[in-house]
Amino acid sequence: MKQESNQNQTYLQSIEANGYTRRDFMKFVAFIGAYMGVENTAIGQIAKALETTPRLPVIWEHFQECTCCSESFIRSDHPIVADIILDKISLDYTLTLMAASGHQAEAAKKATMDKYKGEYILCVEGSVPLGADGNYCCIAGKSALETLKESAAGAKAIIAWGSCATTGCVQAAKPNPTGAVPIEKIITDKPIINVPGCPPIGEVMAGIIVHVVTFGRLPELDSAGRPKAFYSKRVHDSCYRRPYFDAGLFAETFDDENAKKGYCLYKVGCKGPSTYNACGNIRWNGGVSYPIQSGHGCIGCSSNNFWDAGSFYTRDAAIGGGIEADADTIGKVAIGAVAAGAAVHAVASNISKRKDLNRRIHNAIENEKRVEE
């Protein structure tokens, strides 16, 4: 990492110094702005902020976790999400990615905490064990609990990456042998952005950091501390198999004829109707696919305590409200009469989505031209 010499560079300066063009930069701005869910008029504001704002000092702590959140972030498909955001956010300390280790690494963190007291962002992966006086997870001679309190004291805000940091995830599953707890159970005097998922989507993580840089404040959060831009809708709401659910057309097993036709996976355990995440919109691997598209139901990894919620392959209890009646009831009543209607619905829905996508692309291109002018 080359923090010291680049400390006062803006994001745009850092990008250009690494060989990217302004057009690359504007594509990134339009791309991340769309994911953030901001109005087209805000794209220029994002560009201006990244052009003029010095890079954000960040300390990234790792506690009880598998590092999948870091992996998700650095393997984002967009060519400059990782390059611009991860390398350019002035990542002053992260045990997983930094070249330094031992005393040198700890000294770099201490220097950042002193120099940018009250200004740096603290990112945290992993839960914190409270059992056995915290000895289940120790770094540099300190328990995770001590390290978290020390790092959080001078932070401007905290971003809790992944379900380990936001809910405790698998470490906190019964019987929770280490006494693992999420970050918000320990730090109560700092703003915390919860970004659940196992792991979260890399573009979601990038969008949250860009929001903080652009607007100088935390994104709007829901009652669970999650950014509304990415967690306000259920996976079910954007699922391309939703018309089949509404029509009562379900796969009964993973290898039956209905599964081959792409019918809804609710009966084989899909947790999409009760899970809030952006998987259906942003997807993974550069927007190529996500679990439901590959034939497996959503396991609800961004839901609270999903490891203790039962089998991944047991469907949720009946979902009430509107057309979301019990799957069996829907199937008995509607399977014959509505099959044709479902096909029409699906086609109409796809046409509508395609028109909306084309409109958004057109608006983004026009906006990019205006900002460049």
Side-chain angles (χ1 to χ4, degrees), residues 80-97:
I80 46 180
V81 165
D83 287 350
I84 290 179
I85 300 300
L86 183 60
D87 190 38
K88 310 303 182 290
I89 56 176
S90 188
L91 188 56
D92 295 289
Y93 177 85
T94 170
L95 286 176
T96 303
L97 301 173

Side-chain angles (χ1 to χ4, degrees), residues 52-365:
T52 58
T53 304
R55 295 178 303 140
L56 188 68
V58 172
I59 293 174
W60 192 309
E61 298 282 12
H62 296 261
F63 299 132
Q64 287 193 142
E65 41 92 19
C66 68
T67 321
C68 70
C69 301
S70 293
E71 288 284 342
S72 176
F73 200 10
I74 64 176
R75 298 189 187 285
S76 173
D77 184 73
H78 193 281
I80 46 180
V81 165
D83 287 350
I84 290 179
I85 300 300
L86 183 60
D87 190 38
K88 310 303 182 290
I89 56 176
S90 188
L91 188 56
D92 295 289
Y93 177 85
T94 170
L95 286 176
T96 303
L97 301 173
M98 66 192 307
S101 63
H103 295 295
Q104 289 181 328
E106 297 307 310
K109 181 171 72 171
K110 181 67 166 52
T112 299
M113 292 168 61
D114 292 341
K115 185 175 181 179
Y116 298 103
K117 186 175 182 180
E119 301 176 23
Y120 65 86
I121 297 297
L122 175 63
C123 297
V124 182
E125 267 188 84
S127 61
V128 176
L130 300 182
D133 294 326
N135 286 327
Y136 288 110
C137 181
C138 293
I139 303 164
K142 299 176 183 176
S143 70
L145 179 62
E146 292 174 308
T147 300
L148 174 62
K149 288 182 175 179
E150 182 180 76
S151 300
K156 177 180 180 180
I158 299 172
I159 303 177
W161 293 137
S163 293
C164 296
T166 59
T167 68
C169 200
V170 64
Q171 297 89 2
K174 295 176 182 177
N176 191 0
T178 67
V181 296
I183 305 308
E184 65 182 11
K185 295 291 186 184
I186 298 171
I187 306 300
T188 57
D189 60 348
K190 297 285 180 180
I192 297 178
I193 306 173
N194 284 325
V195 189
C198 192
I201 302 171
E203 285 78 4
V204 170
M205 302 167 78
I208 292 166
I209 290 180
V210 170
H211 188 287
V212 174
V213 171
T214 301
F215 301 106
R217 63 177 186 272
L218 273 58
E220 187 178 4
L221 307 178
D222 64 13
S223 60
R226 303 171 297 191
K228 287 185 176 179
F230 302 107
Y231 293 94
S232 62
K233 293 183 178 179
R234 302 170 301 173
V235 173
H236 187 58
D237 296 328
S238 56
C239 181
Y240 73 101
R241 300 189 192 225
R242 174 66 184 270
Y244 295 117
F245 178 94
D246 292 345
L249 300 174
F250 299 94
E252 300 290 340
T253 66
F254 282 107
D255 57 355
D256 67 10
E257 285 301 315
N258 289 349
K260 294 176 183 177
K261 293 176 181 176
Y263 287 0
C264 177
L265 300 172
Y266 173 63
K267 283 191 174 182
V268 289
C270 181
K271 305 297 189 293
S274 58
T275 301
Y276 288 80
N277 209 332
C279 297
N281 291 325
I282 297 179
R283 306 191 182 190
W284 295 81
N285 302 318
V288 171
S289 184
Y290 69 118
I292 292 174
Q293 191 172 341
S294 66
H296 194 286
C298 168
I299 63 172
C301 74
S302 58
S303 298
N304 195 23
N305 298 324
F306 81 100
W307 281 102
D308 288 329
S311 168
F312 293 160
Y313 304 104
T314 300
R315 66 186 165 109
D316 286 340
I319 301 170
I323 198 165
E324 293 182 356
D326 177 80
D328 288 324
T329 302
I330 291 175
K332 290 175 183 176
V333 174
I335 193 167
V338 187
V344 173
H345 183 180
V347 171
S349 178
N350 286 334
I351 291 174
S352 176
K353 289 177 180 176
R354 196 158 49 243
K355 287 181 178 178
D356 184 59
L357 178 61
N358 289 334
R359 180 183 61 78
R360 287 172 180 269
I361 292 173
H362 174 75
N363 289 342
I365 293 173

